[in-house]
Amino acid sequence: MTLWYRFCRFLFRVYFRLYHRGRILNSDRLPDTGAFILAGNHMSFLDPPFFGLCCRREAFYMSRDSLFRHPVANWILRSWNCVPLKREGGDIGAMRTVLRMLGEGKAVLMFPEGTRSRDGQLQEARAGIGMIVAKAGVPVVPMRIFGTEKALPKGASLPRPAKVTVAFGEPFTYPLPADFEQLRGDDLKAVYLDIGRQVMSRIAALTPSK
């Protein structure tokens, strides 16, 4: 973890606590060692740094590639461990990068819904999260953020002082079918989609109270 990353995380924590009266619930459920996937809902550009500041260890993030176009933004995002991802049609290169990072024992943040919710409601998961979970074979920690759709909704340029809470669920591992290695086509996609549904159901079960 670089000094710059530590410094930025400290600033985000101060901002989170003071401006948004931020609360973090059950962060002790985050593994201190080993690879795992942080799977959370997505409502605002504030979500990635707020999820990241809850981690005691360094985390890596998937971000849409259009955010990296400006040279300054590209440098800042990469210094914060952001990995560019194409939203349309999937991005095999980015997926391989995620699998490599998980293979190295890192913590990776992913948004199963793929994009921000327009109304704050949970959306269906895309198949990408299922593929990563199946191929990586690492624990998934469900997490849910409350309030960022009011703090920085789509289209807003400045954050508002809305209260924000981040809640974490128990880590879980998806049991793959015995014939998983032989599955192809629609059968394989069905497993990926079922993993996504399992992840989203655990996110949906989290509440902004202990």
Side-chain angles (χ1 to χ4, degrees):
M1 188 185 302
T2 66
L3 183 61
W4 169 250
Y5 184 92
R6 291 177 185 271
F7 175 70
C8 291
R9 188 173 63 171
F10 169 75
L11 290 182
F12 278 126
R13 280 178 175 169
V14 172
Y15 166 74
F16 174 74
R17 296 287 191 186
L18 297 183
Y19 191 68
H20 294 291
R21 293 161 289 151
R23 293 190 310 143
I24 303 171
L25 305 179
N26 303 314
S27 62
D28 57 307
R29 292 172 174 171
L30 293 168
D32 288 323
T33 60
F36 68 93
I37 296 169
L38 290 146
N41 64 315
H42 196 13
M43 303 186 294
S44 167
F45 283 135
L46 293 174
D47 299 338
F50 283 178
F51 278 136
L53 65 82
C54 298
C55 299
R56 295 180 296 274
R57 53 189 285 199
E58 190 173 22
F60 293 78
Y61 314 85
M62 305 302 298
S63 302
R64 74 168 190 260
D65 60 342
S66 60
L67 298 175
F68 293 75
R69 289 172 184 166
H70 192 279
V72 175
N74 180 66
W75 181 86
I76 291 174
L77 289 170
R78 290 183 185 278
S79 74
W80 290 345
N81 296 340
C82 294
V83 177
L85 174 67
K86 294 178 182 177
R87 288 200 303 187
E88 288 76 22
D91 187 336
I92 299 302
M95 293 299 179
R96 286 175 177 164
T97 299
V98 171
L99 290 172
R100 175 182 57 77
M101 290 190 295
L102 291 170
E104 295 170 349
K106 294 183 169 74
V108 177
L109 166 64
M110 298 188 69
F111 295 115
E113 300 159 294
T115 187
R116 288 172 292 162
S117 170
R118 292 186 176 275
D119 58 7
Q121 300 300 308
L122 296 179
Q123 308 168 89
E124 290 187 5
R126 298 188 179 183
I129 183 72
M131 185 188 76
I132 292 295
V133 171
K135 291 184 176 296
V138 300
V140 179
V141 179
M143 56 188 181
R144 188 171 182 180
I145 195 162
F146 301 87
T148 54
E149 80 283 8
K150 298 176 183 177
L152 189 65
K154 274 192 172 184
S157 56
L158 294 174
R160 303 161 186 171
K163 186 176 182 179
V164 175
T165 299
V166 181
F168 293 92
E170 294 284 356
F172 77 97
T173 303
Y174 183 87
L176 293 174
D179 62 344
F180 175 74
E181 295 297 334
Q182 284 72 50
L183 296 180
R184 298 291 185 274
D186 289 342
D187 292 334
L188 184 60
K189 186 176 181 180
V191 172
Y192 293 160
L193 291 174
D194 185 61
I195 294 173
R197 285 191 289 269
Q198 292 278 343
V199 172
M200 292 307 300
S201 70
R202 291 171 183 264
I203 293 173
L206 298 173
T207 65
S209 60
K210 288 189 179 290

